[in-house]
Amino acid sequence: TAQLQKEIDERLRIEKQLIESQKYTRKLIDSSLDMICASDTDCNIVEFNTAAQKTFGYTREEIIGKHVSILYSDNENHHKINNNLLEGEGTFSGEIVNKRKNGETFISFLSSSVLRDDHGNAFGFMGVSRDITEYKKAENALRESHQFVDSVIENIPNMIFVKDAKDLRFVRFNKAGEELLGLKRAELLGKNDYDFFPK
């Protein structure tokens, strides 16, 4: 009948829209440069985008259905994140150590949250992360460089100080400077010459 055909056509139209919407969502997720991983409430992976596949070395077929702990270097990472998600505010942000399929580890910055339905019931977890290994290497190299310079300045037998350009206040002082002036660093820092000497 005409009514039945109308209902069938409407159902087909809705199904087509749903399929198109799913394709669009898939393209959005896969176009992200960040790794996106979603899991159900049992922490089994249900979504793993292209960036995640490239970084971790797993295909979607290999990883879907696996427990998310497979992506962490140890269970402590997984428990820490889960505790924050389930017992805290429902979110987690921080650096974690991940593990690739080949066993290599890398550092990422993860932002994760609980997924809830319209009634507030949790139905899964969503994590967005970025590999920051190179950034951490550069940060460590810079820190080591600063430590080396600090050590050199501190151990030079001559007085070395640094002042800010605006108020000419001391912002750095070495051990030789303390000994020469007979003042402790804490007494000098933040002050200028006029605090110690007549104009």
Side-chain angles (χ1 to χ4, degrees):
T1 67
Q3 180 61 30
L4 181 60
Q5 186 60 48
K6 188 176 178 182
E7 288 176 8
I8 291 171
D9 289 344
E10 180 62 16
R11 184 174 294 158
L12 289 172
R13 186 186 68 78
I14 291 170
E15 286 176 2
K16 185 179 177 183
Q17 282 182 337
L18 181 61
I19 290 168
E20 290 302 315
S21 175
Q22 288 171 338
K23 285 180 182 176
Y24 180 72
T25 302
R26 169 92 266 131
K27 285 180 182 177
L28 278 178
I29 291 170
D30 280 336
S31 67
S32 173
L33 297 177
D34 290 326
M35 297 172 278
I36 297 175
C37 177
S39 65
D40 59 24
T41 50
D42 292 324
C43 297
N44 297 314
I45 297 168
V46 295
E47 179 57 66
F48 206 67
N49 76 338
T50 301
Q53 292 171 62
K54 287 178 181 175
T55 304
F56 283 97
Y58 292 101
T59 64
R60 288 187 86 250
E61 292 72 27
E62 289 176 309
I63 202 75
I64 298 298
K66 296 282 195 303
H67 197 272
V68 292
S69 60
I70 196 174
L71 304 176
Y72 303 128
S73 65
D74 57 50
N75 280 332
E76 186 180 326
N77 277 298
H78 177 249
H79 292 312
K80 178 173 70 172
I81 295 164
N82 262 17
N83 287 343
N84 274 54
L85 290 174
L86 297 172
E87 297 171 15
E89 297 293 317
T91 61
F92 171 84
S93 289
E95 294 177 10
I96 62 165
V97 182
N98 288 115
K99 184 172 67 176
R100 302 184 208 277
K101 181 182 176 181
N102 64 10
E104 290 177 1
T105 59
F106 67 96
I107 303 168
S108 72
F109 187 87
L110 170 68
S111 294
S112 191
S113 58
V114 177
L115 299 172
R116 298 186 185 280
D117 62 22
D118 294 339
H119 305 289
N121 301 313
F123 65 87
F125 306 100
M126 171 72 83
V128 179
S129 59
R130 178 169 289 186
D131 184 347
I132 59 168
T133 305
E134 292 307 312
Y135 166 79
K136 295 300 288 184
K137 284 180 183 175
E139 185 180 61
N140 289 336
L142 184 61
R143 185 183 300 111
E144 287 172 9
S145 174
H146 283 175
Q147 287 171 348
F148 175 74
V149 171
D150 287 346
S151 177
V152 169
I153 289 173
E154 186 62 18
N155 292 295
I156 284 178
N158 301 326
M159 178 172 77
I160 293 181
F161 60 85
V162 178
K163 294 181 177 183
D164 71 30
K166 184 180 177 187
D167 299 320
L168 298 179
R169 296 187 181 281
F170 294 108
V171 294
R172 183 103 184 238
F173 229 89
N174 72 344
K175 185 168 56 179
E178 287 182 306
E179 291 170 359
L180 182 66
L181 296 179
L183 295 166
K184 294 289 182 193
R185 213 170 309 209
E187 298 174 81
L188 292 160
L189 296 179
K191 297 175 180 172
N192 63 26
D193 290 340
Y194 297 137
D195 292 317
F196 303 100
F197 308 112
K199 291 189 180 183

